[in-house]
Amino acid sequence: MDFINPLVYGVPCFLGFILLEYTYSHTKDKSRKLYNNKDLMASLVMGIGSVIISPLIKTVIAIVLFVFVYEVFNPIVGGVRINVFGWQSFSYAWYVWLLCQLADDFSYYWFHRQNHNVRILWAAHIVHHSSDNFNLGTAVRNGWFTIFYKPFFYLWIPAIGFPPEMLLVCLGIEALWQFQLHSVYIPKMGIIEKVFNTHTMHQVHHAQNIEYMDKNHGGFLNIFDKMFGTWKELDENIDIKYGVTHPPNSYNPLVILTHEYKDIWNDMKKSSNWRHKFMYVFGPPGWSHDGSTLTIKQMQQKYKDQLSLNKIEAKTSSV
């Protein structure tokens, strides 16, 4: 059975919607200053690079790896594929597609969350967060190195019996959904937000406000964020500041792609202790052996402590 990756049609649509949003923001919504031309050009260059590089790498890593795992764990026995765990490998029934998409979203959640929790992975993912603008142009601002490790988060799916081509289509659908989330023009969506990851939720994810950091890692569903304690609703009383606390301060795509790796190397040289060096690479972003920088959890705890102290002082002063 032949399948066409949805992204084949998605890429020209991406460019069309970016142009539409760009035009609208410059003619009808000038006060918002949604786009910065230099920033947009940097995002487009990185997006074009992803379109060129990803298919080459995916052929070697993703497709070959998924097929290899599928073949090993789902050998043909008597003309039928039987999973090593004892059940028949999955068909192309409609409900199997839904289950595969759910499995894909579960894997995406943990892939995305670990991109924020492990610094060497964050070095690749920070590219997507490095712009202080939130728009459809930012949606294509993707790092070029995540493809080297992303497939490993999904290997369990073909291993339990889902056809590799089915998984690849689901990955494409996920990418399409993720693209359209990067818009400020879609308001809260009521009951839809009970289940799905929406535009306002993704605005939270791209914010550098302390209370919003490392929240809403989901793909098209928000159930896993709610299950694992990383969900946060948008508070319309808070002014969102997009981007990262340590930006690359450059519109040069190569600087944007590599600046965090350079910072990791510089941090490793701060200590001769090998455990410290290991933590600077594989620990959470912001970890430091001397407390000179803080992780997101440490920053958020400090923020909560300060709020509690302010409340106590307010009660004391009112007595």
Side-chain angles (χ1 to χ4, degrees):
M1 190 172 182
D2 296 326
F3 295 98
I4 296 177
N5 192 320
L7 290 181
V8 172
Y9 302 104
V11 171
C13 291
F14 291 172
L15 295 175
F17 279 117
I18 291 171
L19 179 60
L20 181 63
E21 185 182 61
Y22 178 89
T23 302
Y24 179 83
S25 68
H26 276 71
T27 57
K28 303 293 185 180
D29 192 24
K30 295 180 180 179
S31 61
R32 195 189 292 265
K33 297 180 180 180
L34 193 64
Y35 279 88
N36 174 298
N37 289 342
K38 290 183 179 179
D39 183 76
L40 174 60
M41 286 305 300
S43 296
L44 290 176
V45 168
M46 285 180 282
I48 292 170
S50 295
V51 170
I52 295 172
I53 294 172
S54 289
L56 301 176
I57 303 301
K58 280 181 179 178
T59 300
V60 177
I61 297 181
I63 298 177
V64 172
L65 196 56
F66 289 164
V67 171
F68 174 76
V69 170
Y70 182 70
E71 296 283 349
V72 169
F73 283 84
N74 301 271
I76 298 176
V77 179
V80 179
R81 286 199 179 275
I82 302 296
N83 190 271
V84 294
F85 295 108
W87 56 75
Q88 185 173 325
S89 303
F90 302 125
S91 67
Y92 297 106
W94 66 268
Y95 56 86
V96 177
W97 279 95
L98 293 180
L99 290 173
C100 188
Q101 194 71 66
L102 181 63
D104 164 83
D105 205 58
F106 178 78
S107 294
Y108 180 85
Y109 171 82
W110 286 108
F111 157 74
H112 196 180
R113 182 170 176 174
Q114 293 313 307
N115 276 336
H116 286 257
N117 291 342
V118 180
R119 192 176 180 191
I120 191 65
L121 304 187
W122 172 242
H125 185 60
I126 193 176
V127 173
H128 183 61
H129 286 266
S130 60
S131 173
D132 56 6
N133 297 294
F134 184 81
N135 51 49
L136 294 178
T138 303
V140 300
R141 188 188 186 99
N142 295 314
W144 296 354
F145 307 121
T146 56
I147 189 60
F148 289 101
Y149 60 86
K150 182 177 181 179
F152 294 96
F153 284 85
Y154 295 81
L155 287 182
W156 69 276
I157 298 177
I160 66 172
F162 288 100
E165 60 271 23
M166 180 181 287
L167 174 56
L168 289 171
V169 172
C170 290
L171 283 165
I173 293 172
E174 188 90 58
L176 293 176
W177 183 267
Q178 280 289 306
F179 168 79
Q180 58 88 36
L181 288 179
H182 295 78
S183 177
V184 297
Y185 291 126
I186 308 298
K188 288 189 175 183
M189 303 176 72
I191 194 172
I192 293 177
E193 302 208 354
K194 298 292 184 181
V195 177
F196 292 98
N197 187 22
T198 62
H199 308 78
T200 55
M201 293 177 194
H202 206 59
Q203 289 174 45
V204 168
H205 180 70
H206 273 262
Q208 60 169 289
N209 306 61
I210 292 178
E211 58 269 56
Y212 284 165
M213 288 183 178
D214 282 2
K215 302 296 182 183
N216 299 353
H217 301 296
F220 65 91
L221 299 175
N222 60 44
I223 183 174
F224 300 118
D225 280 300
K226 292 178 177 178
M227 286 175 62
F228 300 113
T230 54
W231 186 74
K232 183 77 173 179
E233 186 175 9
L234 177 69
D235 185 343
E236 295 178 342
N237 295 316
I238 296 177
D239 291 329
I240 293 182
K241 181 176 175 58
Y242 297 110
V244 292
T245 54
H246 299 288
N249 295 318
S250 174
Y251 296 118
N252 185 327
L254 292 179
V255 173
I256 297 171
L257 285 165
T258 62
H259 75 279
E260 184 66 12
Y261 295 104
K262 180 180 179 181
D263 290 344
I264 290 175
W265 176 248
N266 290 334
D267 285 342
M268 289 176 66
K269 294 188 290 185
K270 292 180 180 178
S271 173
S272 59
N273 185 298
W274 282 99
R275 178 185 173 277
H276 295 165
K277 293 180 184 295
F278 178 87
M279 288 298 293
Y280 277 122
V281 178
F282 297 102
W287 183 91
S288 60
H289 73 284
D290 56 3
S292 57
T293 57
L294 302 177
T295 66
I296 300 300
K297 287 185 177 180
Q298 291 172 329
M299 292 170 61
Q300 289 176 336
Q301 186 59 53
K302 186 176 180 180
Y303 176 74
K304 289 178 181 178
D305 292 343
Q306 186 60 51
L307 288 180
S308 298
L309 181 61
N310 292 343
K311 289 181 180 179
I312 294 174
E313 292 178 346
K315 288 182 179 179
T316 303
S317 62
S318 64
V319 174

